[in-house]
């Protein structure tokens, strides 16, 4: 683009851009391309600058949309880029900075144009623009090579084959960004795309053989968290005395300073945008999630999802079944470490959920780890800071816990891990507590927050399901965890009484007036009684299976024994109350025999002695509490908008006008 301008505002007047988008055809062998691609530019560092860049180049892009059917200049630019990429690997090995710099610039311009074209037209029209050649207006060659498919294959090769060096870092980020942009047509449709041209290219033909290699590379990019090179090591030259022009967005995003827009339709709050230490890792993860959530083709499943579902540990020497396509191996230890360290972001939590839910090899490995706390603690922190997270991030964290608690070994082992000084837990100083007790505390806190704020039944159900899965293996519960279990039951009891009183008053009022519609208190009462029933089953499961391991729970139960009186004769709870009532009666009798003015230590001693003396056959056996996470039908209706909201909020150096977005509702803040 030359060196005539150094400000965003000068772009519409730039002579090289005007020639690219004008009415004159430029041959792919014209020296013009070397002039066009020899530019540098101070990178935008804020959403304001990104927006200005978008606005400054939109006239150029629209001009090209009009003139390209006559000139074929888009195709010529792409052919220039494709010819250069054939020598890119050798250029990297030879440290040919200028060649790589110009190739990066070509890809950056293609990415900008592609984004503008996708926003302006349908996929069919876009596909047509890749076929136009220098001929009569609007003419194209039907037997020419498929330039769009060739570009996609080239991007895949660039991502997977070019060694990651200081001089190739920026072009690697740009290649990933361009693939994200290529798939961004979903942003401009309200409905989930199921028969997309972009999907067709990626799921069959020349792109298909790259599936496993691309997924593996994107995963390793996430694992390695490679930081961008220091300013002195970058391939892009410093601004010249005459001033430079457009330096690819991807090169400046290491600062990660711009503000992202929030998604009102996704969560109550947008997650804070932390400084991006690795733009390549961030962008690779977003592309991986987009690919994993593409809808299946009519005649073939999503190959990228297949690859994610089936990859194995590098330590696993067993052969892959011939029925599993796109299989590969990756270092599970490195993957586990990266997942533990990166859980502050939505996209890392979504990747963890995806792997735990869909890849049995990963799930088995993680459950076998002896340092489970490294994985669980970041998830608990997400739930603990529920007020600061969007609802989708909270759901993903909670479902991860639910999947983990489906495993009895996990439920036992978490009570054997002793933690010291949990600084982020502020309600109470926890100098020493088991991971299991901390997990219970955080889940109960999430339930209580949900009861008073969001009142989301789905969240309630999953929280209680996780507690229920763990209940039979509760061991040595911390006294505070035991207290919070009973405190939650107390809160539910008060809520039940309040709703019951409102229902009674409403019924009385209805007798005197037939005109006023009544609130559906019966439904509210039914919901609260379901939750109370679940809590009673959780307490009962612990008492039945591990009474002697949990003196603190028995102590809390005895301390608040009056809470349970009203439920002894209630028809919905009579059966489940039998064991709880028996335990309360048995231990109350022993305490009465021990005399008055007993210390806490003495009460706990009596409880421990009584736990040994209580005949186990007196406790009625109930079916084991086991809940399994089952993905809802048509999960893509949830996950595809969620993934693209993450791309919109988190993608490195990419800006979309919020007014153009159709897939989800934009917040006005």
């Amino acid at each position: 683009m030359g060196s005539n301008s150094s400000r965003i505002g000068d772009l519409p007047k730039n002579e090289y851009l005007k020639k690219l988008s004008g009415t004159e055809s430029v041959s792919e062998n014209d020296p013009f391309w070397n002039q066009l691609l020899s530019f540098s530019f101070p990178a935008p560092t804020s959403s304001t600058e990104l927006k200005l860049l978008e606005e400054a180049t939109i006239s150029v892009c629209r001009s090209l949309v009009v003139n390209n059917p006559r000139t074929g200049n888009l195709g010529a630019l792409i052919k220039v880029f494709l010819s250069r990429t054939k020598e890119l690997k050798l250029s990297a090995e030879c440290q040919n900075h200028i060649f790589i710099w110009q190739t990066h610039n070509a890809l950056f311009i293609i990415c900008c144009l592609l984004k503008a074209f996708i926003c302006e037209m349908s996929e069919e029209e876009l596909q047509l623009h890749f076929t136009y050649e220098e001929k009569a207006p609007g003419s194209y060659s039907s037997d020419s090579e498929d330039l769009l498919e060739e570009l996609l294959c080239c991007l895949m090769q660039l991502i997977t084959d070019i060694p990651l060096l200081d001089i190739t870092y920026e072009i690697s980020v740009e290649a990933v960004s361009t693939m994200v942009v290529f798939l961004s047509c979903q942003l401009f449709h309200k409905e989930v795309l199921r028969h997309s041209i972009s999907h067709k290219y990626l799921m069959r033909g020349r792109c298909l053989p790259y599936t496993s290699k691309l997924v593996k590379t994107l995963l390793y990019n996430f694992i390695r968290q490679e930081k961008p090179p220091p300013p002195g090591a970058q391939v892009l030259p410093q601004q010249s005395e005459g001033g430079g022009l457009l330096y690819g967005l991807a090169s400046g995003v290491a600062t990660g300073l711009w503000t992202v827009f929030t998604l009102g339709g996704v969560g109550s709050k947008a997650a804070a945008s932390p400084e991006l230490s690795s733009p390549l890792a961030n962008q690779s993860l977003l592309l991986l999630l987009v690919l994993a959530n593409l809808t299946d083709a009519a005649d073939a499943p999503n190959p990228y999802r297949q690859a994610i579902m089936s990859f194995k540990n590098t330590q696993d020497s067993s052969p892959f079944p011939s029925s599993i396509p796109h299989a590969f191996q990756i270092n599970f230890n490195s993957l586990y470490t990266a997942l533990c360290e990166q859980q502050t972001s939505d996209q890392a939590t979504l990747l963890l959920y995806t792997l735990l839910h869909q890849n049995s090899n990963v799930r088995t490995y993680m459950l076998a780890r002896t340092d489970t706390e490294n994985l669980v603690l970041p998830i608990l922190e997400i739930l603990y800071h529920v007020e600061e997270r969007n609802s989708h991030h909270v759901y993903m964290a909670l479902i991860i816990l639910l999947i983990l608690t489906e495993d009895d070994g996990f439920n036992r082992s978490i009570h054997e891990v002793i933690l010291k000084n949990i600084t982020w837990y502020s309600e109470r100083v926890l100098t020493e507590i088991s991971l299991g007790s901390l997990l219970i505390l955080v889940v109960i806190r999430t339930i209580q927050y949900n009861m008073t704020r969001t009142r989301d039944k789905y969240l309630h159900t999953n929280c209680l399901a996780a507690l229920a899965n763990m209940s039979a293996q509760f061991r040595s519960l911390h006294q505070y965890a035991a207290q919070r279990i009973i405190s939650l039951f107390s809160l539910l009891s008060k809520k039940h009484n309040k709703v019951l009183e409102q229902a009674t008053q409403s019924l009385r009022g209805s007798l005197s007036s037939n005109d006023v519609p009544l609130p559906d208190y019966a439904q509210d009462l039914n919901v609260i009684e379901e939750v109370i029933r679940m809590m009673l089953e959780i307490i009962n499961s612990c008492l039945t299976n591990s009474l002697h391991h949990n003196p603190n729970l028995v102590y809390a139960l005895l301390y608040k024994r009056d809470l349970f009186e009203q439920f002894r004769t209630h028809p919905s709870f009579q059966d489940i109350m039998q064991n709880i009532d028996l335990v309360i009666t048995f231990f109350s009798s022993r305490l009465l025999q021990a005399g008055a003015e007993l210390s806490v230590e003495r009460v706990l001693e009596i409880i421990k002695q009584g736990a040994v003396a209580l005949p186990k056959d007196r406790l009625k056996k109930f079916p084991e509490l086991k809940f399994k996470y089952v993905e809802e039908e048509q999960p893509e209706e949830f996950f595809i908008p969620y993934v693209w909201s993450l791309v919109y909020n988190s993608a490195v150096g990419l800006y979309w006008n919020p007014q153009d977005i159709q897939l989800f509702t934009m917040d006005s803040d």
Side-chain angles (χ1 to χ4, degrees), residues 21-127:
S21 60
T23 57
E24 179 187 346
S25 294
V26 184
S27 164
E28 58 194 89
N29 299 315
D30 197 301
F32 161 80
W33 298 110
N34 281 333
Q35 297 167 323
L36 173 72
L37 302 178
S38 298
F39 65 83
S40 60
F41 192 74
T45 56
S46 69
S47 61
T48 303
E49 290 179 2
L50 286 165
K51 185 178 180 182
L52 285 174
L53 179 62
E54 179 89 1
E55 292 170 349
T57 55
I58 195 66
S59 61
V60 173
C61 295
R62 286 176 177 167
S63 177
L64 185 61
V65 168
V66 172
N67 294 319
N68 187 59
R70 179 188 298 273
T71 66
N73 283 347
L74 175 64
L77 171 62
I78 290 170
K79 287 176 182 178
V80 169
F81 169 72
L82 292 174
S83 67
R84 284 174 167 271
T85 55
K86 293 172 184 175
E87 302 175 44
L88 198 58
K89 194 169 184 179
L90 180 62
S91 298
E93 292 170 358
C94 299
Q95 296 284 303
N96 189 336
H97 288 241
I98 300 299
F99 187 88
I100 295 172
W101 164 51
Q102 290 183 332
T103 308
H104 166 273
N105 288 348
L107 182 55
F108 169 68
I109 296 173
I110 291 169
C111 186
C112 288
L113 293 174
L114 187 60
K115 189 159 72 68
F117 274 49
I118 287 172
C119 185
E120 293 278 329
M121 63 187 68
S122 68
E123 282 191 290
E124 289 76 14
E125 291 174 288
L126 174 67
Q127 190 178 30

Side-chain angles (χ1 to χ4, degrees), residues 29 41 136 205 245 298 325 390 472 553 625:
N29 299 315
F41 192 74
L245 190 61
N390 70 66
L553 182 62
L625 291 179

Side-chain angles (χ1 to χ4, degrees), residues 81 103-112 115 155 158-159 168-182 236 247-253 279-280 283 287 652-654:
F81 169 72
T103 308
H104 166 273
N105 288 348
L107 182 55
F108 169 68
I109 296 173
I110 291 169
C111 186
C112 288
K115 189 159 72 68
L155 291 173
L158 200 160
I159 293 167
T168 60
Y169 189 94
E170 306 298 351
I171 197 169
S172 296
V173 175
E174 202 66 57
V176 177
S177 297
T178 306
M179 283 203 68
V180 171
V181 167
F182 177 73
L236 302 167
Y247 161 9
L249 287 178
S251 61
V253 295
L280 179 60
Q283 209 79 334
L287 176 57
V652 169
L654 293 175

